[in-house]
Each structure stands twice: as structure tokens, then as C-alpha cells.
């Protein structure tokens, strides 16, 4: 079978490039479209016919020449439009697009279908046929009212002296900001450089940046550029929960125009609001003030604005990650240093009693004791040193169990007076040896005070706290007291609910702790002053172990000191097992529960 192709195409265009009249036989009329025109690769009109030609205010006889010379009907973003024409002529694939045209002093949104005119075989396409319709027309460019456009149709605006220069200007701005923010990982520098560059290049009245976190309902202005005659906004907070536009910008990641009150003396001001993002997750907001004279942002400029927000969001995410990694590195280095210092202290603490034990036993083995009494004295000293060494090893084992999460406590009723009595019997000899007073104060009750806890661990905590108080006190004394805090419920207590707590207080008149170092007291492997360890001894684990043990029994530990040389007070709480009968209501505190 032989197929013969007819390569002769009808000539659809007028040779003098004048408009083709709308007659029943006219080629453009038969297309049945509201707007029909043809253009070459350079965007020059070859034919033109439109039902709303009265908007152009052109003479019919010379319409084509007038359109090409005066540019009364041109795309707002001419560069992007011509790029699209070239792409269609190269690919020979029609495209459908919505774009804004400048028509005299008005802005028109048109829906167009751009089709390449198929050339003869072996030739290059040079002409497009465009058919379209009018979607909406605005007022004069200087009077565009953004509020009248729905959010889905809303096009942001930017101040610009001339439309054709907008895209190159924004591209240059994007490149400049990108180069600047890639040179540093300092968040403060990134924020400030961005607002300064935007403000100076675009000659804005104000430009602000607010970092955003998903869990926060407010954003704070962290960097700002503003003209000298304007009040600063730096440091001010914006409640995004009460600003729907902010929420929409953070959710959609699309640029949008909002009105926001800035100064009391003036009304609301228009801002272009765009959310910065990283991996489709918003991490900041940028707001640029808009002048009264503004034009609708084209698709190309919208993409540039989003690209700028993406670049800035990526830089913010990388700088934030670097900051977090740097903080983690410093924390790891500090933990390593503290562990090394801790091991040095522990090795010293272990060697000291061990050397003492070896020394006393060696004296006995070598027969250096003069009589049995002196030999018993050596054995007693060695026994005391062995107990001290055992306590150190117990502390190390306890902290290892706590770190591994294997510390298990069996809680049972504990009589508070027995606990205090045992503490006093253990610690009073130590206090008397240092010429310190030791006072024990208990609430006056008709029956016994019984708490819920583990007796051995409570004794360990109190001996540690009182031992520290005696060790770090040179004159004065130590006071151990207990207060009742009863719970008064507005309704009936639950059967499993405990009636209150006992607050135990250990106060001394010792060396105290400065305010800026108190946060280190309960940090693992951390000591307020490592140099004191050699003088006073100890591993620095006591308070940490005590805190963990009390928390495991449902209580809390707190430390108070007004400063060095002003003494210190440590308190801990433990639940009451049953409510005692008070001899005086003033002997306890009442805590009301809802």
C-alpha cells in the first residue's frame, strides 16, 4: 500500500499582518474562541482578534503594528512567557497556562492554550496559535486590592520600579543571599545577613525573621531590618494561634500577602509572608513590608521566592544541626573529663584505706605491737578502714545499678523515730570529735510517725547527708529535723492514696556552696570543686545516689545555700504510710488537693 502525503498547508495568515475581520468565513472566527492571536518566536503579534478589544483602545486598521510598537497587551513576566514559547516551538507540544497580562493600565488574568503551528516537513516551527479567555480583570496596577482575591488565587506582591526587571533582580538577590548563608553556620549571622540583604536590595521599610518550632504556639522576632524612623520589632512575640495567615503560611509553605499592625501611630501594614522550610517542615517565617505601589507576583517570581525560602530553611536546619552537634560534643567532652576526674578521685579514695589496712596488718605480722592492747588497737583501725573501703565500693556498685536501671527497692512501713535514733547513734561520735553540736527535732505527735520506704536505703541517704554536713562544717553544728505535710482533699481520698509526706531537713553552718555552682551538685561524676576532694575526701557520688534513691521511693531532694561560708540545707521528702495524731495543729503543714 502506498500512502501519499500532501505537504501543502493552507496559508492561515494575512500577508500584511493586519487583523483578519470577523466574518462568517474568517479563519479566526471559525475557532470559536474569545481571544485568538498568533505570534512568532520573538513574541511579535502576527494576527489578533479579541471580543474585548475596546479595552485596548486601538484603531482596527493598524492594530497589529500598534500592539507590537506600544506593548499595550504584553505578559507581566515577559521573560518566562518567551521561554515558554521557545519550549513549545521546540517540542511541538501544546501547553495550557494561566498568566497575567498588562493591558494599558489594567492587569488581566488569562487562561491560554498555546499551540505550535506545524511547519512543513524538514522546517522549524516559528509560529504559535494562542486561544484563550479572560478569567479576571483588576483595577489599575497602583490600586490592586489583594484582599479581594481568594487565598487560592492570591498572588503576592513585591515593590518594583519596572516589571521586566523583577525576575533578574530576584534571581540576583537569591544568588547573593545563598552565597552569604553558605559561608557560615552561625544562626545569628544567617538571620541578620538575610534581613539586611533583603532590606537593602529591595529598599524595604522593614524585614523580619522569626524561627519556628512545631511544638510552639508563638514565634519571636530574632532578626530585623528597618528604616531609622520606624519602631523596632526585635524581640517581640507573635501569637500564631491567633493569626490565621501565619498558620496558613506555615502549613502550605506558600508565599502570601497579609496585613499586620506594626506601629500604634499608623494603621495595618502589608507584608509578604513566606515560611522557610527544610524537608517540607517549616522552621521559620520571613516577613517583608510592601509599598503601596506593587504588582502581582508572577509564577517565576513566586518560584524564586519559594526557592529563597527553601535555601534559607536549609541553611537554618544545617546551622541548627551543627549547633546541636557542637553542644553534644562539648557535653561528651565534659562527661569524659568528669569521668576521668572521678576515676582519679575514686582510685585515691580506694588506695588510702587499703594502704592503711596493709600498714596496720603488717605491723602486727612483724610483731611491732608492744602488747595485746596495742595489737587490738591496730586491728580496730584496720577494721574501720575496711568498713570505709566497703562503703566506697558500695557507692560505686549503687551508681552502676542506677545507671543500668537495675536498682530495685522493696518499700515497707518505716518508723521515723527509729530511723532518727540510728542516725544519731552513728553520727553523734563524729560530731563530738569535731566539737560540733548535733540536734534532732521531731514533730510532737501522740503516736508514731510511719513512712513508706526502704529502711536500709533511707538510713544510707541520711547517713550520707549528715556525714557531708559534719565533714564540711568547722564550727557550729548540724540540725536534723522533720516536718509533716498532710494532704487535705476536697473529696474522699482514694483507698491507695497516702495521707501526706514527711519533709526531712539536714541543715549545717558549714562552708556552703556558691549560687552559680549549685546546679553541679546532683550531676553524675561532677563535683562543685575538684580541689576540695583532696582536702575533704569522698567520691562525689553521695548526693547523686541519694537523689536517685529518694526518687525511687516517691520523694524529692533539694539543696539550698545562700553562698560560700553561709552554710547549707538539704531536704528530702518521703511518703507517709499513715496519718499520725497531732498534739498541736501548728506542728504540720496542710496541703489542699483538688
Amino acid at each position: 500500500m502506498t500512502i501519499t502525503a500532501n505537504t501543502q498547508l493552507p496559508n492561515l495568515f494575512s500577508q500584511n499582518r493586519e487583523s483578519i475581520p470577523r466574518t462568517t468565513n474568517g479563519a479566526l472566527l471559525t475557532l470559536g474562541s474569545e481571544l485568538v492571536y498568533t505570534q512568532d518566536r520573538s513574541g511579535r503579534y502576527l494576527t489578533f482578534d479579541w471580543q474585548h478589544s475596546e479595552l485596548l483602545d486601538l484603531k482596527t486598521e493598524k492594530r497589529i503594528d500598534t500592539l507590537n510598537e506600544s506593548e499595550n497587551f504584553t505578559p507581566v513576566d515577559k521573560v518566562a512567557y518567551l521561554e515558554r514559547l521557545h519550549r513549545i516551538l521546540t517540542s511541538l507540544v501544546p501547553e495550557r497556562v494561566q498568566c497575567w497580562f498588562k493591558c494599558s493600565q489594567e492587569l488581566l488574568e488569562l487562561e491560554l492554550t498555546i499551540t505550535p503551528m506545524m511547519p512543513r516537513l524538514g522546517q522549524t516551527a516559528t509560529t504559535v496559535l494562542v486561544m484563550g479567555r479572560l478569567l479576571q480583570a483588576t483595577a489599575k496596577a497602583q490600586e490592586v486590592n489583594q484582599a479581594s482575591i481568594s487565598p487560592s488565587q492570591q498572588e503576592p506582591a513585591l515593590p518594583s520600579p519596572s516589571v521586566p526587571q523583577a525576575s533578574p533582580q530576584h534571581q540576583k538577590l537569591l544568588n547573593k543571599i545563598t552565597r552569604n548563608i553558605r559561608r557560615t553556620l552561625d544562626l545569628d549571622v544567617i538571620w541578620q545577613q538575610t534581613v539586611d540583604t533583603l532590606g537593602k536590595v529591595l529598599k524595604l521599610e522593614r524585614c523580619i525573621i522569626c524561627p519556628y518550632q512545631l511544638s510552639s504556639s508563638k514565634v519571636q522576632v530574632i532578626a530585623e531590618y528597618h528604616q531609622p524612623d520606624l519602631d523596632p520589632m526585635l524581640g517581640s512575640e507573635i501569637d500564631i494561634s491567633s493569626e490565621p495567615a501565619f498558620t496558613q503560611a506555615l502549613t502550605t509553605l506558600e508565599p502570601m500577602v497579609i496585613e499586620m499592625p506594626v506601629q500604634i501611630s499608623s494603621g495595618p501594614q502589608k507584608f509578604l509572608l513566606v515560611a522557610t522550610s527544610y524537608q517540607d517542615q517549616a522552621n521559620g517565617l520571613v516577613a517583608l513590608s510592601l509599598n503601596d505601589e506593587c504588582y502581582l507576583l508572577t509564577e517565576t517570581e513566586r518560584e524564586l521566592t519559594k526557592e529563597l525560602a527553601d535555601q534559607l530553611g536549609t541553611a537554618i536546619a544545617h546551622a541548627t544541626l551543627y549547633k546541636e552537634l557542637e553542644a553534644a560534643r562539648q557535653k561528651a567532652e565534659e562527661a569524659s573529663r568528669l569521668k576521668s576526674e572521678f576515676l582519679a578521685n575514686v582510685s585515691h579514695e580506694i588506695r588510702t584505706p587499703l594502704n592503711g589496712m596493709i600498714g596496720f596488718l603488717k605491723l602486727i605480722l612483724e610483731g611491732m605491737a608492744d602488747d595485746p592492747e596495742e595489737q587490738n588497737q591496730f586491728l580496730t583501725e584496720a577494721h574501720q578502714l575496711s568498713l570505709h573501703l566497703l562503703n566506697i565500693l558500695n557507692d560505686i556498685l549503687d551508681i552502676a545499678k542506677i545507671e543500668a536501671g537495675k536498682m530495685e527497692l522493696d518499700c515497707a512501713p518505716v518508723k521515723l523515730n527509729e530511723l532518727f535514733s540510728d542516725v544519731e547513734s552513728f553520727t553523734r561520735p563524729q560530731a563530738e570529735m569535731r566539737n560540733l553540736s548535733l540536734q534532732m527535732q521531731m514533730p510532737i505527735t501522740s503516736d508514731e510517725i510511719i513512712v513508706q520506704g526502704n529502711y536500709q536505703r533511707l538510713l544510707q541517704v541520711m547517713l550520707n547527708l549528715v556525714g557531708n554536713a559534719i565533714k564540711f562544717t568547722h564550727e557550729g553544728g548540724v540540725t536534723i529535723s522533720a516536718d509533716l505535710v498532710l494532704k487535705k482533699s476536697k473529696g474522699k481520698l482514694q483507698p491507695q492514696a497516702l495521707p501526706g509526706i514527711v519533709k526531712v531537713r539536714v541543715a549545717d553552718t558549714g562552708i556552703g556552696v556558691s549560687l552559680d555552682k549549685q546546679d553541679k551538685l546532683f550531676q553524675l561524676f561532677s563535683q562543685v570543686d575538684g580541689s576540695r576532694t583532696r582536702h575533704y575526701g569522698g567520691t562525689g557520688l553521695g548526693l547523686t545516689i541519694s537523689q536517685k534513691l529518694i526518687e525511687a521511693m516517691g520523694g524529692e531532694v533539694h539543696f539550698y545555700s545562700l553562698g560560700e561560708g553561709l552554710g547549707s540545707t538539704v531536704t528530702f521528702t518521703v511518703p507517709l504510710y499513715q496519718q499520725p495524731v497531732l498534739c498541736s495543729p501548728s506542728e504540720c503543714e496542710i496541703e489542699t488537693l483538688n
Side-chain angles (χ1 to χ4, degrees), residues 309-432:
D310 290 341
Q311 292 284 352
L312 182 57
T314 301
I316 292 174
H318 289 174
T320 302
L321 179 60
Y322 173 79
K323 189 175 181 180
E324 293 174 352
L325 290 175
E326 182 65 17
R329 183 187 65 82
Q330 293 179 358
K331 186 176 181 180
E333 289 179 352
E334 178 67 11
S336 178
R337 185 190 65 81
L338 292 175
K339 284 188 176 182
S340 298
E341 185 177 320
F342 166 76
L343 291 174
N345 292 336
V346 167
S347 63
H348 172 76
E349 290 296 316
I350 292 176
R351 283 198 305 266
T352 300
L354 191 57
N355 288 334
M357 292 167 55
I358 294 173
F360 284 117
L361 294 176
K362 186 178 180 180
L363 290 175
I364 296 174
L365 291 174
E366 293 179 353
M368 300 299 293
D370 295 335
D371 50 48
E373 184 179 353
E374 188 175 20
Q375 182 175 337
N376 288 335
Q377 184 179 354
F378 290 165
L379 290 174
T380 302
E381 293 291 342
H383 180 257
Q384 293 295 331
L385 290 172
S386 66
L387 294 178
H388 179 63
L389 180 59
L390 179 61
N391 290 334
I392 294 174
L393 296 177
N394 285 336
D395 284 348
I396 296 174
L397 294 175
D398 285 343
I399 204 64
K401 288 182 180 179
I402 292 173
E403 285 290 285
K406 296 183 178 180
M407 177 64 73
E408 297 180 359
L409 297 180
D410 294 327
C411 295
V414 176
K415 296 180 179 179
L416 191 64
N417 60 342
E418 292 184 2
L419 180 64
F420 271 46
S421 177
D422 289 345
V423 170
E424 182 178 12
S425 63
F426 279 114
T427 58
R428 183 167 293 281
Q430 302 175 30
E432 291 176 350

Side-chain angles (χ1 to χ4, degrees), residues 242-283:
S242 61
E243 297 287 346
F246 280 70
T247 304
Q248 182 179 348
L250 292 168
T251 303
T252 63
L253 303 180
E254 291 289 336
M256 61 185 303
V257 174
I258 65 169
E259 288 190 352
M260 183 170 61
V262 178
Q263 298 192 131
I264 301 178
S265 58
S266 60
Q269 185 177 4
K270 286 185 178 180
F271 282 86
L272 172 64
L273 185 66
V274 57
T276 63
S277 64
Y278 179 68
Q279 295 182 347
D280 296 329
Q281 180 63 54
N283 58 10

Side-chain angles (χ1 to χ4, degrees), residues 78-348:
K78 191 172 182 179
V79 174
Y81 182 82
L82 290 177
E83 290 176 353
R84 188 183 299 275
L85 289 188
H86 294 165
R87 183 172 64 250
I88 293 172
L89 289 171
T90 302
S91 64
L92 299 180
V93 177
E95 291 188 17
R96 182 180 177 184
V97 63
Q98 290 181 214
C99 60
W100 288 88
F101 271 65
K102 183 180 180 182
C103 179
S104 297
Q105 296 297 320
E106 297 187 2
L107 293 175
L108 309 175
E109 186 180 17
L110 301 174
E111 182 180 12
L112 304 176
T113 299
I114 307 175
T115 305
M117 301 294 291
M118 300 298 290
R120 291 182 173 88
L121 290 177
Q123 295 184 1
T124 304
T126 59
T127 309
V128 293
L129 171 65
V130 183
M131 296 179 289
R133 60 183 175 179
L134 177 65
L135 295 180
Q136 63 172 322
T138 70
K140 292 183 179 180
Q142 292 82 0
E143 300 174 357
V144 175
N145 185 4
Q146 293 289 338
S148 64
I149 306 176
S150 65
S152 61
Q153 299 170 334
Q154 189 169 359
E155 294 284 346
L158 279 177
S160 176
S162 59
V163 173
Q165 297 177 356
S167 293
Q169 180 189 23
H170 283 74
Q171 186 64 56
K172 183 178 179 180
L173 177 63
L174 173 62
N175 295 337
K176 183 176 181 179
I177 293 179
T178 302
R179 285 196 305 269
N180 288 339
I181 62 180
R182 285 178 178 175
R183 294 174 181 172
T184 179
L185 287 172
D186 190 326
L187 272 175
D188 295 331
V189 174
I190 291 174
W191 286 325
Q192 196 59 49
Q193 279 188 351
T194 301
V195 294
D196 288 344
T197 304
L198 288 171
K200 292 175 182 177
V201 173
L202 297 179
K203 299 179 180 176
L204 303 175
E205 291 185 357
R206 189 189 303 273
C207 180
I208 61 174
I209 285 184
C210 306
Y212 169 73
Q213 294 182 349
L214 186 61
S215 59
S216 177
S217 62
K218 293 182 179 180
V219 293
Q220 185 179 28
V221 179
I222 200 69
E224 178 187 23
Y225 169 89
H226 65 88
Q227 296 297 333
D229 58 332
L230 299 179
D231 297 334
M233 293 181 62
L234 190 65
S236 58
E237 289 188 344
I238 301 173
D239 188 358
I240 58 179
S241 60
S242 61
E243 297 287 346
F246 280 70
T247 304
Q248 182 179 348
L250 292 168
T251 303
T252 63
L253 303 180
E254 291 289 336
M256 61 185 303
V257 174
I258 65 169
E259 288 190 352
M260 183 170 61
V262 178
Q263 298 192 131
I264 301 178
S265 58
S266 60
Q269 185 177 4
K270 286 185 178 180
F271 282 86
L272 172 64
L273 185 66
V274 57
T276 63
S277 64
Y278 179 68
Q279 295 182 347
D280 296 329
Q281 180 63 54
N283 58 10
L285 284 167
V286 183
L288 297 80
S289 62
L290 299 179
N291 297 332
D292 292 334
E293 296 184 358
C294 57
Y295 68 89
L296 294 176
L297 197 65
T298 64
E299 186 65 25
T300 301
E301 292 164 346
R302 175 187 287 271
E303 291 302 321
L304 284 172
T305 304
K306 293 172 66 176
E307 178 66 20
L308 170 61
D310 290 341
Q311 292 284 352
L312 182 57
T314 301
I316 292 174
H318 289 174
T320 302
L321 179 60
Y322 173 79
K323 189 175 181 180
E324 293 174 352
L325 290 175
E326 182 65 17
R329 183 187 65 82
Q330 293 179 358
K331 186 176 181 180
E333 289 179 352
E334 178 67 11
S336 178
R337 185 190 65 81
L338 292 175
K339 284 188 176 182
S340 298
E341 185 177 320
F342 166 76
L343 291 174
N345 292 336
V346 167
S347 63
H348 172 76

